[in-house]
Amino acid sequence: MIKITAIIPTLNEEIHIADAIKSVSFADEIIVIDSYSTDKTLEIAEKLHVKIIKRKFDDFSSQKNFAIDQATHNWIYILDADERVTPEVEKEILEAVKNPNGFVGFYVRRTFYFCEKK
């Protein structure tokens, strides 16, 4: 059975973290890699029983790559704390990794909003 790790980099994301975690609840492992938040981000994440890694932020690539090295599954989905996986995208992800047809990665098209406008 194919398993997925979801990775969420954070720094003071208390208003977003619960919804981000819940949106990837289909993942077999959820890792929050935190840059030493001073708000309630980690407290909220702990209540949702995810793996938490604390690491000083140096740059986005290094932070995400460090978290990838900690993942226990080969399929990895990375999302920012202010992003959400819709049920439709969840279904597509699960289908894609179940039958990858030789692909080793996938591009996920995102819809961006600013000031509540698409």
Side-chain angles (χ1 to χ4, degrees):
M1 179 161 180
I2 302 294
K3 294 193 173 193
I4 301 170
T5 296
I7 295 173
I8 308 171
T10 58
L11 173 63
N12 296 331
E13 293 286 356
E14 69 182 1
I15 65 171
H16 297 293
I17 193 61
D19 288 337
I21 290 170
K22 289 173 187 171
S23 82
V24 290
S25 62
F26 63 90
D28 303 283
E29 174 183 51
I30 301 172
I31 297 173
V32 169
I33 181 156
D34 186 76
S35 301
Y36 296 96
S37 291
T38 57
D39 65 359
K40 294 183 179 181
T41 299
L42 294 179
E43 181 182 325
I44 295 165
E46 286 170 356
K47 288 180 183 175
L48 294 171
H49 308 290
V50 300
K51 181 176 182 180
I52 296 171
I53 300 168
K54 296 177 188 176
R55 182 178 185 273
K56 182 182 175 200
F57 182 85
D58 44 6
D59 62 72
F60 291 107
S61 295
S62 296
Q63 197 76 341
K64 292 173 184 178
N65 285 328
F66 182 85
I68 288 169
D69 288 341
Q70 311 308 308
T72 58
H73 307 304
N74 291 331
W75 284 103
I76 297 171
Y77 186 86
I78 301 174
L79 75 156
D80 291 338
D82 63 347
E83 296 176 325
R84 305 292 174 266
V85 174
T86 64
E88 296 81 16
V89 172
E90 174 185 337
K91 183 179 176 186
E92 284 187 52
I93 291 169
L94 294 173
E95 282 298 315
V97 299
K98 185 168 74 173
N99 188 13
N101 293 322
F103 290 98
V104 296
F106 297 93
Y107 174 79
V108 177
R109 175 174 264 151
R110 290 176 159 89
T111 303
F112 296 95
Y113 291 87
F114 181 71
C115 294
E116 298 184 19
K117 291 186 180 183
K118 195 172 181 179

